[in-house]
Amino acid sequence: MVPTGNELIIMTKHLISILDIKDYIHDILRTAGEIKKKTKNSEAYPALEGKSLGMIFEKPSTRTRISFEVGMTQLGGHGLYLSPKDMQLGRGETIEDTAKVLSRYVDGIMYRAFKHEMMLELAKHSTVPVINGLDDVEHPCQILADLMTVKEHKNTFSLKMVYIGDGNNVCNSLLLGCAVVGMDMVACTPEGYEPDMDIYHKALELARGTGASISLSNDPKTAVMDADVLYTDVWISMGDEGEEERRMKDFCEFQINSELVRLAKDDVIVLHCLPAHHGVEITSDVLYSPNSVVFDQAENRLHAQKGVMVYLMG
Ligand code: CP
Ligand code: NVA
């Protein structure tokens, strides 16, 4: 609908997909970098003083929970951990009513959901910003931290990123993130585990505007040639546990190990969103090698999300 006359349209901003911030991603990363500097210098930055973030977790979390909660504290606000088990949500209260009630108490809602549809339902009925803390389709906050880490280590996005493994939520958001910032990306997965095709086509469309090359592969050894960045994630995501036996067989050629790293550029950096399964999708020697930046990446969840919260809730 085109606004007419004096009509005032107030839109709540959400971060459900990387697409929601495609025009602001560089601003958010810049803000995140500035806030990180302040944090490192022990300078206070109470941009969200007195504000509260409700954090609903349907699945476990180490990084997302702690970085959002600590991030809110460092911004002068407060994060509340909300487990559906302990809420009326777990006894059948609807997402719609939960969204409407939480919107009366808190200034933002972070949601880790099993189903993307539930994420959309929460956002539809929330009058405060909703932040996707991972669902079965995307993990946008992770990708902001990943891009921040790549930029810190390489000082450019004119690079080739190769993602090896499952075409899952992380891979989907990474395709969009790389397309938006103009970084080339190959999503290299076993056949049948490709990323979401709608997202892949959206990434191709975005890449036409930024000049990035976005492609798919089923051959890790060829894909990693000339890679500046290697990335992997677990082969069995939360919710996929029933497929363990089949996945372990299907993914066995898709491990990031020293042999694969040797085929990439000498100064390749290795990323993993964590938690890592040592000796499964990545070997311990690579995870702890000088090429690995995984713990900087984990730290950047804190800084990148502070950038997001200031953008959405500030
Ligand atoms: N990478 C990530 O989201 O980690 P957690 O599951 O520990 O939050
Ligand atoms: N793809 C993984 C990411 C964990 C942070 C999962 O969804 O479990």
Side-chain angles (χ1 to χ4, degrees):
M1 188 177 69
V2 179
T4 53
N6 296 323
E7 208 171 349
L8 178 65
I9 296 188
I10 298 170
M11 298 265 287
T12 306
K13 293 183 283 185
H14 301 296
L15 171 51
I16 307 298
S17 162
I18 288 286
L19 292 171
D20 295 328
I21 51 163
K22 66 179 171 42
D23 299 326
Y24 310 99
I25 206 160
H26 293 289
D27 292 339
I28 293 172
L29 291 174
R30 197 173 315 112
T31 305
E34 283 162 15
I35 302 175
K36 178 172 181 175
K37 257 188 224 139
K38 288 185 195 295
T39 307
K40 295 282 178 192
N41 293 333
S42 305
E43 248 180 86
Y45 186 68
L48 299 183
E49 197 166 1
K51 299 210 172 182
S52 298
L53 178 76
M55 311 187 303
I56 309 174
F57 281 92
E58 289 178 2
K59 305 180 191 179
S61 167
T62 297
R63 281 142 289 269
T64 307
R65 175 180 176 177
I66 298 168
S67 54
F68 267 107
E69 194 165 330
V70 170
M72 273 306 280
T73 304
Q74 292 180 351
L75 291 170
H78 175 59
L80 298 95
Y81 175 77
L82 304 169
S83 161
K85 278 203 306 286
D86 305 326
M87 295 167 78
Q88 298 292 4
L89 194 55
R91 296 183 59 249
E93 186 165 18
T94 64
I95 277 279
E96 173 172 353
D97 290 353
T98 304
K100 287 178 173 166
V101 172
L102 286 188
S103 296
R104 302 291 181 107
Y105 298 139
V106 298
D107 305 282
I109 304 171
M110 192 242 84
Y111 184 26
R112 171 164 284 196
F114 274 104
K115 292 265 156 249
H116 188 62
E117 295 75 40
M118 299 302 266
M119 184 70 66
L120 296 177
E121 177 76 358
L122 186 84
K124 183 174 161 195
H125 297 290
S126 172
T127 55
V128 297
V130 172
I131 303 171
N132 181 350
L134 179 148
D135 62 23
D136 55 339
V137 178
E138 280 207 51
H139 195 2
C141 295
Q142 178 66 54
I143 273 51
L144 283 169
D146 302 341
L147 294 175
M148 185 171 179
T149 309
V150 168
K151 191 69 189 285
E152 284 175 351
H153 283 272
K154 295 286 189 187
N155 203 28
T156 177
F157 287 130
S158 300
L159 300 166
K160 175 181 172 183
M161 150 101 70
V162 182
Y163 176 94
I164 307 277
D166 188 16
N168 59 17
N169 42 12
V170 168
C171 180
N172 288 335
S173 290
L174 207 51
L175 280 169
L176 295 171
C178 286
V180 169
V181 301
M183 181 159 40
D184 296 345
M185 177 174 164
V186 184
C188 180
T189 68
E191 275 181 58
Y193 294 94
E194 285 81 7
D196 181 289
M197 280 300 117
D198 284 345
I199 290 186
Y200 172 61
H201 286 110
K202 276 185 194 128
L204 288 178
E205 204 180 300
L206 286 167
R208 276 198 284 276
T210 58
S213 151
I214 301 288
S215 60
L216 303 179
S217 160
N218 302 122
D219 178 3
K221 290 200 170 84
T222 310
V224 299
M225 297 286 179
D226 295 325
D228 301 286
V229 185
L230 291 184
Y231 196 124
T232 192
D233 181 16
V234 293
W235 292 344
I236 299 148
S237 285
M238 292 178 276
D240 290 338
E241 289 80 3
E243 299 174 13
E244 181 164 352
E245 205 181 315
R246 177 163 57 87
R247 283 176 172 259
M248 293 302 272
K249 277 196 211 116
D250 292 348
F251 282 86
C252 64
E253 300 298 320
F254 290 72
Q255 182 187 66
I256 297 196
N257 51 37
S258 52
E259 194 192 329
L260 204 65
V261 172
R262 258 197 300 277
L263 299 175
K265 284 192 182 159
D266 288 344
D267 61 351
V268 67
I269 55 170
V270 178
L271 280 82
H272 189 313
C273 60
L274 302 179
H277 292 82
H278 294 223
V280 182
E281 74 276 1
I282 191 164
T283 54
S284 301
D285 62 331
V286 171
L287 194 73
Y288 299 139
S289 70
N291 300 88
S292 167
V293 297
V294 300
F295 297 107
D296 292 343
Q297 182 187 2
E299 177 187 331
N300 279 336
R301 292 295 301 278
L302 173 66
H303 309 297
Q305 286 158 196
K306 284 202 272 181
V308 168
M309 291 190 287
V310 169
Y311 163 69
L312 293 175
M313 295 160 61

